[in-house]
Amino acid sequence: MLPLLSNGDTNPLFDANLPFKDETISNNVIERFNFDWNINKALRLKASFYINYGDSNSSSYRSPFSSSYTLKQILDEGYGYLPVDKRGEMSKNDSKSLDVSSNVVLNYNKQIGNHTLFFGLGGELEYRKYDGYGFSVQGFPNDKFQDVAFAMQYKEGSKPYSSSSKSKSVGVFLNGNYIYNDKYFADLSIRYDGSSKFGADNKFAAFWSVGGGWNIHKENFFSNGFLEELKLRYNYGVTGNQEFSAHQAITTYAYRTDLLYDNTISATLKAYGNPNLKWQEQKSHNLGLDFVLKEGRIRTSLNYYQKRTTGMLADITVAPSLGFPSGTYKANLGEIENIGYEANINAVLIRNQEKDLEWGIGLQLAHNESKILKISDALKTINDANNAAKKVPGLVYEEGESLTTIKAVKSLGIDPATGEELFLKKDGQTITRIWDAEDKIIGGNSEPVLFGNISNNLYYKSWNLNMVFTYSLGGDIYNQTVVDKIENLNPNFNGDKRALTNRWKKPGDETSYKAINTSDKTFISTRFIQNQNILQLSNLSLSYQFDSKKLSKYRIDALRLSFYANDLFRLSNVEVERGTDYPFARSFGFGLNVRF
Amino acid sequence: MKQILTFITIFSCFLLLTSCNDWLDVTPQGDAEAEELLSTTAGVNSAVAGLYYNLIQTNSHAGDLSFGTLDVLAQYYEVSDVNHQDYYFAQYDYNNIRVKSRINSWWKNYYLSVAQANQILSELDNNSGNIDTPELFEGELLALRAFIHLQVYQLFGPVVQNQADLEQKAIPYRYEFNELPTEFLTCEQVLTNAKNDLLKALELLENDPIRKGHKRLDNNESMLAYNNILANRVGRLNYFAVMGMLVRVEQLLLNQSETDGAFYWANRIVKETESGDQNIAFTTKEEVEGSGPGARDLLYSSEIIFSLHINNLYKVAGKKFSLPGYNGKQGLMLTVNSASFDNFVNYVYGREPDGAGTDYRLNYWFNQNSGSSNFPFQKYREPEDQNKIYKISYPEVAVLRLSEIYYAMCESKINVDNVKALEYLNEVRTKRGLPELDNSEADNVAIYLMRERRKEFMGDGRTFLINKRLFTNIEASSSLNIEASKAIFELPIPEDEFTYGPEEKSSNN
C-alpha cells in the first residue's frame, strides 16, 4: 500500500504519522567578570572580561517509509519505493564557538576651582572562533531506530563538510573632557583600531573627534522664564569604515571541496582584489541646539550635519568578459557629501500626579540629501573607456548626482494597439519600442523626504504602554514585485492575479502591463517607479508592575510582568512582496522580572 | 605601588599595538592569498585545476556545452514538452528570458577561467624559482586561454563564409586580470591571438610527458613532491591537444593549406602518434564490442586526445539520459523515444550509401530499457568491469578526438583531391564497423563527411558548432531539415557587455 492519493500526489496525513526529527540543541556557558578599582580620588580603573563558550548539535531524520521515497515522487512514474539502501536519511552536525572580549579603562578625574578635567584611556580586545562539521547517512530498513549506526551507507553523492572561522580585533582609545564653570565644554576623543577583517597589509586605522558646547542658560545675560535649558554644541570628527572583505583588496583563491579535478583539489578566484582599495574616511561637522521648556516637559534637540566622505566605497559592475566572480568589484568611488538635519522632540503631554497618569510622546524627524562631489580618477578612466566608441555617452555615475537616484528608461506606457511598451529616448523626443540602456534618465530618488520614529509612552498607575512607530515619507521605489510577478512571470510558478486580468490581450486594450503572450524580459523603466509612504508599528510593549508592599510578605522586592511584540503592522501606499528573500519575523513575547 | 600598576596598564596597552599586526593576520579556512598559493607547486596545481573546475560544471562541459543543450541545438533530441529546460533552445528562441540567462552563464563561466588563467600567468612571471616544471604550467595556461576564447568565439562569434567575413567584430580577447574593459576584436584578430597563444604553448610543452609515454600514465617519480600536472596528461591541454586546437583555428581562419594550415597540424598529430607510445590510436573492434553490455568501450577512449575528467560524470549523465541506476527529472532529461530511435536507424546511421546497420555507434549507443519504449543514449554509461589498471573507459567528456583530426584532413582535401579526401574518411569509417566508400563516390565526399560528423559527435557537443562553421543545414531527419541562418547560429552576446563595456550593440546582436 503506497502512501499516495489516487492521482499520485503524496498523502500528507500518512507522512505526518511517521517518525520525523529536525532538532538542534545548543548550550552556552557565559561568564562576565567586572573589576572596578578606585585607586585614589582621581584615578579609577575598570576592567571587564567576557567569555561565551557554546556548542550546538543538530540532527534530522526522515523515515524510510516517507512518500518522498516513492518512485512516483522521484521519477513521476512507476510503482513502489526506491531500493532500501536509498530510503530514509539522517544528518548530523556539530559545532563549537568561542567568544572572548575584554575591556580596560583608566579614568582620571580632577576638579580645580571652576575647572573640571576628565581623561579616559582604555583598550579593548575581541577574539571569536567557530568550528563545525557534519555528515549525512541513508538506507534505513525500518524506522525503529533513529541512529546513524543503523544506516546502510553514507548518503550517496554527499560528503562530510566542515566550516571554521576566526576573527580578532583590538583597539585603544583616549577621551578627554574639560568643563569650565559648568558653562563651557570641550571634548576630545581618539581611537586606534585594528581588526583581522581589514583587508590590507596595515590592519590599523586611527580616528578622532573634537567638540565644544556652551550652556547658554547658565550665562548671566540669559533670563527667560520660558526656556529652562539652552545648549549649543558643535562637533567635528574624522571616522572611517572599511566595508570590504579582505579578498576584495587582496587577490585570494578559495579551495573547492565539492568537486576535484581528477585527483587535484581546485582553487578558484574569489573576487578581483583591488590593490588601490582604501579605507573610506568621513569628516563630519555637526551643529546642535538643545533646549528644554516648561519644567522639563518638552525637550528638544536639533542637529544639522554635513558629512563629507572621501574614498566612498561602492560596488562597481563590470562586463562579464572581465571574469570577475561576482560581476562587480569594490572601488573607492570618490567624494560624497551628505547634508541633513534631525529633530528630536520629547514631550510629556499629560502629567497628572494625583491620577498617577503620564503620557509622553517622542518625535524624530530626519532628512538627508546626498551628492556625488567628485568621481575618483580610476572610475573616470573606466567611464571614458566605456564611452569612447559609443555614439551617445552613458555614464554609470555622474558628479552632482545623488547616490540614491534610480535610473530608468522613460516609459510612455503600453501601446493599446500592440501590447508593447513604448519608450522615450534620451533626446526627449523620439519614441521607440526598443529598450536601450543608453536611454536611462533619472527616474526617481529613493531617499525619503522625511523619515524617523514616533514613540508613545503611557504610564497609568502600575501599567506602562510603549509603542514605537517608524515612518518614511516621499522616496521612490522600483516595484520589483510587480515586475517579477506580473510581467517577467514564469507561468510554472506563483504569480500575481493581475497577470491574468490586467495584462494586454487584444488590440484596443488599455492596460498598465504588457501583452500576456510575450516572454520577453521587462527591463528597468519608469513605469514601475512609485513614490512611497510607509508607517510601521515596530515595537509595542505593555507591562504591569506589581505593588511591592503586597509582595514584601513573599520576600520579593519587585515583580514586573511584560508583553512585547515586534513588527505588528506596516502600512504603505505601494504594495510589494516582502520576506521572500529573507523572512521578516513578527514576534510576540512575555517577560517576567523578579527581584529578591 | 599604585603608580607601578598605572604604568603597567598603560604600557601593556601599547605593547598590544606593536605585536598586534601579526596577531590580526587571519586567513579564513579554505582561502589562500594568491601570492602565497602560487609560490608552491601544489598551489599552482590547485589554481590551474580551478580553470578546469569551471569547465566541468553542468552549465559548461558537464552538460549544456557537451552532451546537453548544444546537442539539442543540433536537433539530436525531440523536445516537445514546453516545460523542458531546453524547449526554447530547440526552437532557437534566443530572446526567451530563461534561454538568455543560461546563455549568459555560458559566456560568464568561460571568462571566469580566462581571468584566472591571466591572474596565474602574471604571478608565474614573478615566481618560477620555486615551482617545478614552470614551462608546463605556462604552456597549459596559454593553451587554455586560447581554447576557451575559441569556444566562446565558436558559440557567440558571427557566421563566417568567406575571407571578408573575418573582418566582422567578434568577441573580446582578454590578456589581463584587471578592471579595464576591452573592446571586441575582429574574427581575424581573435583567431590570430588564439593561434599565437597556441604556438607559444607548443614551444613550452616541448617536454610534455605525453610525447613519450602513455597518455594516462602518472609520470610522477615521488609521492612526496607530487606534481599533479605530470599525471594523466590526456585530462589536460597537452602537446597534441594544442596541435588539435591549431587545426581548429586554421579551419576557422579558412586556411586548409598543407604547409601551414589545418592539414599541416592534423598530419603532424597523426605522424607523431604513429608509434602508439601515447595510446592515441583508433579503438579496436575487440575494445568496442567488449565482452558484454557493461564491458564495452563506448567512448572510443584510445582515440581521445584531450578530455575533461569529471569525477561525478556517471551520476550527472545517468540522470540526464536515464541510465541504469539513476533517476532523472522530467524537465531536464534527454530521451530517445522509439520514433527518434527509428530515425537514428533509418536516417542518421543507416541511410545508404554511406550508412549501414553494422555501425558500432548505432548498435551500442542506444539500449532499450525493459518495460520502457525509450532507447536511452548509452555513451556515458558506467562500465562494470573496472579491475584493470587501464580501464575500459573513464568518466571523461572528450574535447578532441582522433576522428576529428582525420575528418579535418579529409575536409582540407575536398575539391583539391577528392579521392585522397575519401581515403581519410574511410580510415575512420572502417573503425566504426562501416564498409569503405568506393572511389566513385568521391565527388560527394563533402556530403558524406557532414553525415559522418553527425554520427560521430553525438554526445560531444561539436555538431552544432561544425554546422555553424560550414554554414550547412541541420539535417536531423527526413522530415526535419533546419535551414542554415545567422538567426540560429549566432548566439546573442550578453547585454551587460554593452552596458558596462565600450562596445555598442550592433544590429545583428
Side-chain angles (χ1 to χ4, degrees):
Chain A
M1 235 282 284
L2 286 183
L4 300 174
L5 305 174
S6 52
N7 67 350
D9 284 347
T10 59
N11 183 342
L13 276 180
F14 180 87
D15 280 343
N17 278 323
L18 296 171
F20 178 84
K21 187 160 72 166
D22 191 352
E23 64 181 23
T24 307
I25 301 175
S26 321
N27 297 306
N28 282 77
V29 177
I30 303 173
E31 163 64 28
R32 272 180 228 272
F33 174 77
N34 288 320
F35 175 80
D36 197 340
W37 178 22
N38 283 323
I39 306 173
N40 60 33
K41 254 178 72 179
L43 279 177
R44 182 178 178 186
L45 181 70
K46 292 208 307 191
S48 74
F49 180 75
Y50 165 86
I51 181 167
N52 179 338
Y53 175 77
D55 75 50
S56 169
N57 302 294
S58 64
S59 86
S60 68
Y61 173 81
R62 184 183 283 161
S63 161
F65 302 120
S66 156
S67 59
S68 42
Y69 298 115
T70 55
L71 289 175
K72 186 78 174 89
Q73 283 302 305
I74 306 278
L75 295 178
D76 252 351
E77 60 172 7
Y79 184 85
Y81 278 94
L82 286 177
V84 65
D85 60 349
K86 298 203 176 37
R87 295 204 300 259
E89 63 192 84
M90 188 159 194
S91 294
K92 275 203 157 313
N93 297 293
D94 272 340
S95 69
K96 284 203 243 299
S97 67
L98 180 67
D99 198 337
V100 177
S101 69
S102 97
N103 182 303
V104 176
V105 174
L106 181 68
N107 288 329
Y108 175 82
N109 209 315
K110 194 84 178 177
Q111 185 151 20
I112 310 168
N114 278 337
H115 309 269
T116 311
L117 197 63
F118 171 81
F119 278 111
L121 175 70
E124 24 186 50
L125 192 85
E126 181 162 20
Y127 174 80
R128 276 207 177 125
K129 189 163 140 67
Y130 171 88
D131 284 294
Y133 68 91
F135 63 92
S136 296
V137 295
Q138 69 177 167
F140 287 86
N142 63 44
D143 56 13
K144 261 179 110 149
F145 303 105
Q146 293 145 37
D147 187 305
V148 293
F150 290 90
M152 291 173 75
Q153 58 183 4
Y154 281 104
K155 186 169 175 189
E156 229 174 32
S158 84
K159 41 189 230 65
Y161 82 89
S162 79
S163 102
S164 95
S165 69
K166 224 190 258 189
S167 85
K168 306 174 183 174
S169 68
V170 74
V172 284
F173 55 87
L174 171 70
N175 295 322
N177 296 91
Y178 170 73
I179 308 175
Y180 178 71
N181 210 1
D182 217 14
K183 273 196 247 179
Y184 310 110
F185 302 77
D187 303 303
L188 164 76
S189 125
I190 308 174
R191 278 200 74 101
Y192 192 61
D193 282 313
S195 164
S196 61
K197 293 198 185 116
F198 297 160
D201 288 323
N202 180 11
K203 298 194 183 291
F204 281 92
F207 307 109
W208 55 274
S209 76
V210 290
W214 179 22
N215 271 341
I216 303 175
H217 60 278
K218 298 255 170 157
E219 289 292 351
N220 295 333
F221 62 75
F222 184 85
S223 60
N224 187 332
F226 196 58
L227 284 172
E228 267 183 22
E229 269 181 46
L230 183 64
K231 180 172 174 182
L232 186 67
R233 305 174 266 111
Y234 170 77
N235 180 287
Y236 175 76
V238 176
T239 53
N241 59 36
Q242 188 263 20
E243 273 166 21
F244 55 85
S245 319
H247 65 258
Q248 288 175 309
I250 301 178
T251 307
T252 311
Y253 283 82
Y255 283 103
R256 297 286 197 159
T257 53
D258 54 327
L259 192 61
L260 270 62
Y261 185 67
D262 201 2
N263 66 348
T264 319
I265 300 181
S266 10
T268 52
L269 281 167
K270 281 185 92 151
Y272 173 66
N274 185 352
N276 301 320
L277 210 51
K278 283 201 244 307
W279 278 69
Q280 185 175 287
E281 206 180 66
Q282 193 176 69
K283 298 189 167 95
S284 18
H285 300 267
N286 194 312
L287 185 65
L289 188 69
D290 303 328
F291 52 88
V292 176
L293 306 161
K294 266 197 168 202
E295 305 135 29
R297 283 190 43 178
I298 301 181
R299 298 179 166 273
T300 312
S301 173
L302 302 168
N303 278 313
Y304 171 78
Y305 61 83
Q306 187 195 64
K307 297 182 192 174
R308 192 167 285 206
T309 311
T310 47
M312 170 87 176
L313 289 166
D315 286 315
I316 310 293
T317 314
V318 294
S321 59
L322 268 66
F324 288 5
S326 55
T328 63
Y329 72 102
K330 265 272 193 283
N332 298 102
L333 178 60
E335 246 177 68
I336 311 286
E337 188 179 69
N338 273 291
I339 296 183
Y341 56 80
E342 277 167 10
N344 278 298
I345 305 165
N346 284 296
V348 177
L349 296 175
I350 299 176
R351 184 175 277 164
N352 189 329
Q353 290 193 318
E354 294 141 11
K355 289 194 189 167
D356 207 358
L357 174 67
E358 186 174 304
W359 181 30
I361 57 163
L363 180 65
Q364 184 202 59
L365 302 137
H367 172 83
N368 183 68
E369 270 172 31
S370 66
K371 194 158 83 163
I372 301 177
L373 294 175
K374 226 172 66 161
I375 299 184
S376 73
D377 290 330
L379 266 187
K380 267 225 174 82
T381 316
I382 294 170
N383 274 343
D384 289 340
N386 280 353
N387 293 324
K390 289 180 170 155
K391 294 187 205 114
V392 179
L395 292 169
V396 182
Y397 291 101
E398 279 184 75
E399 286 171 357
E401 254 177 34
S402 163
L403 269 181
T404 48
T405 53
I406 303 174
K407 287 199 173 151
V409 176
K410 177 96 182 120
S411 170
L412 297 169
I414 303 292
D415 182 359
T418 59
E420 284 177 308
E421 184 167 10
L422 292 175
F423 303 105
L424 189 65
K425 286 188 86 69
K426 200 160 181 170
D427 59 12
Q429 290 177 341
T430 325
I431 300 178
T432 172
R433 273 186 224 294
I434 300 168
W435 185 90
D436 192 343
E438 307 279 324
D439 295 326
K440 280 189 190 171
I441 50 152
I442 296 177
N445 194 326
S446 62
E447 187 85 68
V449 171
L450 207 61
F451 64 95
N453 293 329
I454 305 170
S455 63
N456 209 318
N457 220 334
L458 182 67
Y459 291 93
Y460 179 59
K461 302 214 168 67
S462 307
W463 292 93
N464 178 328
L465 173 67
N466 187 305
M467 295 192 283
V468 178
F469 295 86
T470 49
Y471 69 91
S472 160
L473 299 172
D476 295 315
I477 182 174
Y478 182 74
N479 196 335
Q480 192 70 45
T481 304
V482 164
V483 175
D484 291 341
K485 295 286 154 70
I486 299 180
E487 294 218 345
N488 279 344
L489 176 61
N490 180 340
N492 292 324
F493 299 117
N494 278 336
D496 192 300
K497 279 199 293 228
R498 288 173 284 179
L500 286 176
T501 54
N502 291 15
R503 281 182 71 165
W504 184 93
K505 293 191 192 81
K506 56 186 191 305
D509 279 353
E510 279 183 24
T511 57
S512 332
Y513 306 110
K514 61 181 199 208
I516 186 123
N517 58 346
T518 61
S519 59
D520 291 350
K521 184 170 169 179
T522 295
F523 292 100
I524 186 167
S525 80
T526 56
R527 199 155 43 106
F528 302 104
I529 298 180
Q530 299 175 278
N531 198 280
Q532 188 179 57
N533 299 316
I534 308 173
L535 177 67
Q536 215 170 328
L537 175 54
S538 357
N539 287 310
L540 181 139
S541 79
L542 180 66
S543 69
Y544 181 80
Q545 184 94 26
F546 286 87
D547 191 350
S548 21
K549 283 188 248 133
K550 293 186 186 159
L551 294 171
S552 55
K553 60 178 171 180
Y554 300 108
R555 306 263 189 92
I556 295 176
D557 274 349
L559 180 68
R560 194 173 90 232
L561 191 65
S562 51
F563 164 79
Y564 53 89
N566 290 331
D567 241 340
L568 278 175
F569 68 78
R570 182 180 187 274
L571 299 171
S572 166
N573 64 330
V574 175
E575 268 180 18
V576 288
E577 240 181 10
R578 293 193 305 140
T580 48
D581 288 325
Y582 188 78
F584 59 89
R586 185 164 288 160
S587 48
F588 304 90
F590 287 94
L592 184 69
N593 276 66
V594 189
R595 196 172 73 227
F596 291 96
Chain B
M1 176 63 184
K2 283 174 186 172
Q3 281 95 331
I4 297 173
L5 275 161
T6 327
F7 171 73
I8 290 174
T9 323
I10 301 174
F11 178 72
S12 33
C13 288
F14 285 113
L15 203 61
L16 271 171
L17 293 172
T18 48
S19 62
C20 259
N21 217 39
D22 286 334
W23 182 72
L24 292 177
D25 215 338
V26 170
T27 313
Q29 187 208 42
D31 283 1
E33 282 178 26
E35 224 178 281
E36 213 185 290
L37 181 75
L38 299 173
S39 62
T40 64
T41 311
V44 179
N45 268 309
S46 284
V48 173
L51 272 81
Y52 291 110
Y53 174 87
N54 289 331
L55 296 175
I56 57 173
Q57 298 301 309
T58 44
N59 70 344
S60 191
H61 289 254
D64 288 3
L65 301 177
S66 57
F67 49 77
T69 314
L70 271 189
D71 269 5
V72 170
L73 286 173
Q75 302 294 340
Y76 279 114
Y77 302 95
E78 194 191 303
V79 183
S80 50
D81 180 359
V82 108
N83 294 319
H84 193 281
Q85 70 159 4
D86 291 330
Y87 177 76
Y88 290 101
F89 277 101
Q91 318 289 317
Y92 302 106
D93 181 1
Y94 298 134
N95 278 324
N96 180 281
I97 308 174
R98 274 158 280 286
V99 165
K100 260 209 169 128
S101 99
R102 283 178 64 200
I103 291 177
N104 289 351
S105 75
W106 298 348
W107 172 282
K108 173 142 191 217
N109 214 34
Y110 273 139
Y111 277 106
L112 280 179
S113 284
V114 168
Q116 189 155 324
N118 286 329
Q119 205 283 320
I120 306 172
L121 282 166
S122 68
E123 206 68 45
L124 279 181
D125 277 342
N126 311 334
N127 247 312
S128 47
N130 296 336
I131 306 189
D132 299 333
T133 65
E135 70 290 343
L136 286 184
F137 284 116
E138 202 187 326
E140 187 165 330
L141 287 165
L142 289 171
L144 275 168
R145 181 166 77 189
F147 165 67
I148 295 171
H149 279 111
L150 278 178
Q151 286 294 120
V152 177
Y153 173 79
Q154 285 173 88
L155 279 164
F156 295 92
V159 161
V160 167
Q161 297 174 269
N162 50 52
Q163 280 298 127
D165 281 346
L166 287 170
E167 297 305 314
Q168 297 174 84
K169 281 254 172 145
I171 59 165
Y173 202 97
R174 298 280 304 174
Y175 281 112
E176 308 257 346
F177 179 54
N178 61 23
E179 78 280 19
L180 300 170
T182 34
E183 276 183 33
F184 288 15
L185 297 180
T186 64
C187 301
E188 169 98 47
Q189 288 169 323
V190 171
L191 293 169
T192 313
N193 286 349
K195 180 168 157 176
N196 290 334
D197 273 348
L198 289 166
L199 289 171
K200 183 92 205 289
L202 205 59
E203 260 176 55
L204 291 162
L205 289 171
E206 189 73 32
N207 295 317
D208 189 334
I210 202 177
R211 295 186 74 185
K212 299 196 192 88
H214 197 292
K215 67 191 181 193
R216 299 190 195 274
L217 194 64
D218 184 340
N219 300 293
N220 274 290
E221 278 158 14
S222 131
M223 285 309 262
L224 289 176
Y226 196 78
N227 190 351
N228 305 70
I229 202 179
L230 294 173
N232 200 27
R233 291 302 296 165
V234 71
R236 297 175 168 273
L237 251 172
N238 55 65
Y239 180 82
F240 297 110
V242 172
M243 287 205 267
M245 291 307 141
L246 280 161
V247 171
R248 287 189 189 171
V249 169
E250 297 295 356
Q251 285 178 328
L252 290 162
L253 277 168
L254 308 173
N255 179 0
Q256 302 283 7
S257 147
E258 239 185 69
T259 44
D260 65 358
F263 182 87
Y264 168 73
W265 293 109
N267 197 32
R268 257 187 80 170
I269 296 177
V270 172
K271 289 281 172 285
E272 293 186 28
T273 56
E274 257 174 351
S275 62
D277 289 340
Q278 302 78 14
N279 189 234
I280 295 176
F282 281 112
T283 314
T284 64
K285 183 168 189 278
E286 291 70 38
E287 286 169 323
V288 173
E289 292 186 332
S291 52
R296 296 197 224 279
D297 186 351
L298 299 163
L299 285 170
Y300 302 97
S301 312
S302 59
E303 293 175 27
I304 297 178
I305 301 174
F306 167 42
S307 66
L308 289 169
H309 194 106
I310 304 170
N311 285 339
N312 60 355
L313 179 65
Y314 298 132
K315 176 166 145 196
V316 173
K319 285 186 170 174
K320 192 81 173 165
F321 298 111
S322 194
L323 295 175
Y326 296 100
N327 310 307
K329 277 201 157 79
Q330 284 288 32
L332 302 174
M333 285 195 305
L334 290 173
T335 43
V336 178
N337 57 27
S338 51
S340 295
F341 180 65
D342 283 342
N343 182 51
F344 283 123
V345 171
N346 298 321
Y347 188 80
V348 181
Y349 290 98
R351 191 164 62 152
E352 306 252 291
D354 62 313
T358 50
D359 196 325
Y360 297 146
R361 296 164 296 202
L362 174 65
N363 287 332
Y364 303 129
W365 280 357
F366 307 96
N367 241 6
Q368 189 171 26
N369 284 337
S370 61
S372 161
S373 58
N374 293 331
F375 292 81
F377 184 54
Q378 304 284 311
K379 192 164 171 176
Y380 294 104
R381 181 178 165 158
E382 183 169 3
E384 281 147 43
D385 185 358
Q386 297 276 36
N387 292 327
K388 306 187 264 201
I389 294 179
Y390 292 120
K391 304 177 191 165
I392 293 172
S393 63
Y394 296 81
E396 59 189 355
V397 169
V399 177
L400 184 71
R401 294 175 169 281
L402 191 59
S403 47
E404 178 176 336
I405 302 302
Y406 275 85
Y407 294 151
M409 291 196 285
C410 167
E411 186 182 323
S412 66
K413 293 293 174 207
I414 292 176
N415 295 331
V416 170
D417 183 348
N418 283 341
V419 172
K420 194 84 179 120
L422 196 59
E423 247 180 66
Y424 288 120
L425 188 60
N426 280 330
E427 276 258 25
V428 185
R429 285 174 56 86
T430 48
K431 304 293 186 298
R432 297 287 184 262
L434 292 169
E436 282 193 11
L437 279 167
D438 188 68
N439 280 350
S440 60
E441 299 280 10
D443 286 333
N444 293 326
V445 69
I447 298 172
Y448 298 137
L449 175 61
M450 194 61 232
R451 303 220 278 235
E452 191 62 36
R453 279 167 159 157
R454 189 168 181 82
K455 297 177 209 171
E456 174 74 5
F457 294 124
M458 181 168 181
D460 279 5
R462 294 287 314 151
T463 313
F464 179 72
L465 298 176
I466 294 169
N467 272 296
K468 176 176 175 175
R469 176 171 68 80
L470 297 170
F471 203 66
T472 51
N473 296 355
I474 298 178
E475 293 177 12
S477 74
S478 49
S479 53
L480 185 61
N481 186 335
I482 313 262
E483 205 175 303
S485 73
K486 292 191 181 188
I488 63 161
F489 285 136
E490 290 177 357
L491 267 61
I493 293 182
E495 299 280 346
D496 284 350
E497 284 298 324
F498 303 107
T499 317
Y500 300 107
E503 283 301 314
E504 256 194 353
K505 218 169 159 184
S506 57
S507 53
N508 45 317
N509 266 311

